Amino acid sequence: MKKSLKSHFPIIRSKEEVRLVIRRNLRLEELFQSWTSGQQEEFLDFCSGNRGVKILYDSFFKEILNPENAPERLNELLSLILRQQVKILQVLPNDSTRLADESSLVIMDIVVELEDHSIANVEVQKIGYKFSGQRSACYSADLLLRQYKRVRGERGRAFSYRNIHKVYTIVFFEQSPESFRRFKEECIHHFTQVSDTGAEIELLQEFCYVCLDIFRDLLHNKGIRNKLDAWLTFLSVDDPEAIEALLDQYPEFGKLYQEIYELCRNVERVMGMFSEELRELDRNTVQLMIDEMQEEIDALKKEREEEVNRKDEKISEQEQEIAELKKKLAMYENASESSKE
């Protein structure tokens, strides 16, 4: 028999109870029937505790770790990831200057100002190989630009570049890029800017990448070793047995799961949240297919150009050989004429 979280959280409804609530509301039933059978099963599974909720879905993450309602939760998570004590001062509006298509494959992002006035951007990327170092650099530069414009506007003529503080780009990968998958014993990678001589200067951009697929492999082999592992388990694991193990070691996470299952009792609201996630994933999937097709087209163009270049080179070589042969033939003909004389 499948493990269920209902024994830990008695407020959880059974699948049959959730399904009955949906059937009694024509609009909800129509929405439910618009999903695939797999999506229907996923929804019923997490509402009934047969699986955990995918916390990294934008709606669920912001509901449970909303820094405006419960800042201490994100404070602790960021402190553990950044290896320093941080405190969120305020949530900043996500009005970045990014191009519209930069949101592709982004599941969730949130921008906060910390107590020391540094800025952290927390993002979740479904497909890691689409998130290049160049894109990270652009995101970080965007944070700096936003901070510069805001601080300069606030301080006016009193502005100094010393008023600009660090920016942190923190990215959670559901599927890690190839460059990180080679490090099977490390699931978190920190990047800072350093000189090749040891000289020190206060540069402002730092990056942190959290590879959740690698973490799950480590979790399977080593279990939950510390509070950071506990948080990553909460964020990335939906297996009831793994969740039970988390609750045994860190029972304080029970409050967060309790909130999730109280939310799941509002079937209409949670269906709306789930439906929005599905729409976003559909858009991201379409964008991914477009990106992959464009990459394939670009690769074919490059291959054709290389083939044309190879043909041109071969023709050039053949023309050179012909020219050399003609030159030799002319020499032989001259020599032959000379011998006749």
Side-chain angles (χ1 to χ4, degrees):
M1 183 177 176
K2 275 186 177 180
K3 277 270 187 183
S4 172
L5 294 169
K6 188 173 176 60
S7 59
H8 288 271
F9 307 100
I11 64 169
I12 292 177
R13 290 186 171 114
S14 68
K15 275 189 176 183
E16 292 74 20
E17 289 173 317
V18 175
R19 192 69 187 90
L20 183 60
V21 172
I22 296 172
R23 285 197 189 98
R24 286 174 174 171
N25 185 311
L26 179 60
R27 188 171 58 83
L28 296 185
E29 179 66 15
E30 288 177 351
L31 177 59
F32 186 79
Q33 293 301 333
S34 71
W35 299 341
T36 67
S37 58
Q39 291 164 348
Q40 292 175 356
E41 194 66 20
E42 179 184 353
F43 179 80
L44 293 175
D45 272 347
F46 73 67
C47 281
S48 62
N50 286 344
R51 306 293 299 180
V53 174
K54 291 184 177 178
I55 307 298
L56 288 180
Y57 277 169
D58 181 78
S59 301
F60 295 104
F61 185 97
K62 289 177 178 174
E63 185 72 28
I64 302 303
L65 284 95
N66 187 335
E68 294 180 329
N69 297 336
E72 69 281 357
R73 296 174 181 175
L74 198 55
N75 282 340
E76 182 175 68
L77 177 59
L78 294 181
S79 295
L80 292 167
I81 289 174
L82 295 176
R83 301 170 181 168
Q84 59 181 306
Q85 195 65 33
V86 303
K87 183 178 179 181
I88 293 170
L89 185 65
Q90 64 173 324
V91 180
L92 298 178
N94 197 2
D95 57 352
S96 73
T97 55
R98 292 183 202 168
L99 298 176
D101 66 352
E102 286 299 291
S103 64
S104 68
L105 308 177
V106 175
I107 300 175
M108 177 278 296
D109 69 314
I110 187 169
V111 181
V112 293
E113 181 182 3
L114 305 181
E115 191 175 34
D116 64 356
H117 301 294
S118 60
I119 296 177
N121 181 28
V122 182
E123 301 225 359
V124 177
Q125 290 277 334
K126 185 174 179 61
I127 309 294
Y129 76 85
K130 288 291 180 185
F131 197 92
S132 62
Q134 292 91 333
R135 179 172 288 189
S136 298
C138 290
Y139 281 23
S140 181
D142 180 59
L143 290 179
L144 271 179
L145 179 60
R146 289 179 62 183
Q147 183 184 180
Y148 167 79
K149 287 181 176 179
R150 177 172 55 83
V151 174
R152 181 148 196 159
E154 292 171 352
R155 292 184 170 266
R157 297 181 69 177
F159 170 79
S160 166
Y161 280 100
R162 291 186 179 87
N163 302 135
I164 304 299
H165 298 271
K166 279 190 177 181
V167 294
Y168 300 94
T169 301
I170 303 164
V171 184
F172 290 88
F173 290 124
E174 286 201 328
Q175 297 177 39
S176 304
E178 182 65 34
S179 55
F180 292 146
R181 286 203 294 271
R182 296 186 292 112
F183 299 89
K184 298 187 182 300
E185 295 298 315
E186 300 291 342
C187 64
I188 299 181
H189 303 267
H190 294 86
F191 290 78
T192 58
Q193 296 167 305
V194 296
S195 75
D196 60 351
T197 63
E200 294 185 4
I201 186 172
E202 189 179 3
L203 298 175
L204 299 176
Q205 294 164 285
E206 295 193 15
F207 304 84
C208 180
Y209 303 98
V210 184
C211 304
L212 295 174
D213 50 350
I214 295 173
F215 168 74
R216 285 191 292 270
D217 291 338
L218 292 172
L219 179 68
H220 179 74
N221 296 325
K222 299 182 179 181
I224 300 171
R225 298 163 293 178
N226 50 49
K227 191 61 176 288
L228 178 56
D229 281 359
W231 270 108
L232 298 184
T233 300
F234 174 72
L235 292 175
S236 65
V237 172
D238 64 357
D239 177 65
E241 289 189 11
I243 293 173
E244 284 186 346
L246 169 62
L247 294 173
D248 288 342
Q249 288 184 248
Y250 293 92
E252 59 265 36
F253 282 91
K255 183 180 179 182
L256 279 66
Y257 283 109
Q258 180 73 18
E259 290 181 22
I260 289 169
Y261 289 112
E262 286 174 358
L263 175 63
C264 286
R265 290 188 66 82
N266 187 338
V267 176
E268 182 174 358
R269 184 181 176 197
V270 80
M271 282 186 74
M273 293 166 64
F274 184 66
S275 188
E276 179 57 35
E277 298 299 337
L278 294 179
R279 281 194 293 271
E280 186 61 35
L281 288 173
D282 282 345
R283 285 194 292 268
N284 290 338
T285 300
V286 169
Q287 185 61 50
L288 175 61
M289 292 174 66
I290 292 171
D291 290 346
E292 289 179 338
M293 288 177 68
Q294 186 61 53
E295 287 177 1
E296 187 176 348
I297 290 169
D298 292 343
L300 288 171
K301 282 183 178 178
K302 185 178 179 181
E303 184 179 338
R304 187 176 64 184
E305 288 172 0
E306 289 174 350
E307 186 176 345
V308 170
N309 289 337
R310 283 195 297 269
K311 287 181 178 178
D312 288 345
E313 288 175 4
K314 190 171 183 180
I315 291 171
S316 179
E317 289 174 0
Q318 289 173 341
E319 288 176 345
Q320 188 175 352
E321 288 177 5
I322 291 170
E324 289 177 357
L325 288 171
K326 285 182 176 179
K327 187 177 179 180
K328 287 181 180 178
L329 179 60
M331 290 174 60
Y332 291 143
E333 287 176 344
N334 291 336
S336 175
E337 290 295 329
S338 298
S339 63
K340 288 178 181 178
E341 293 175 358

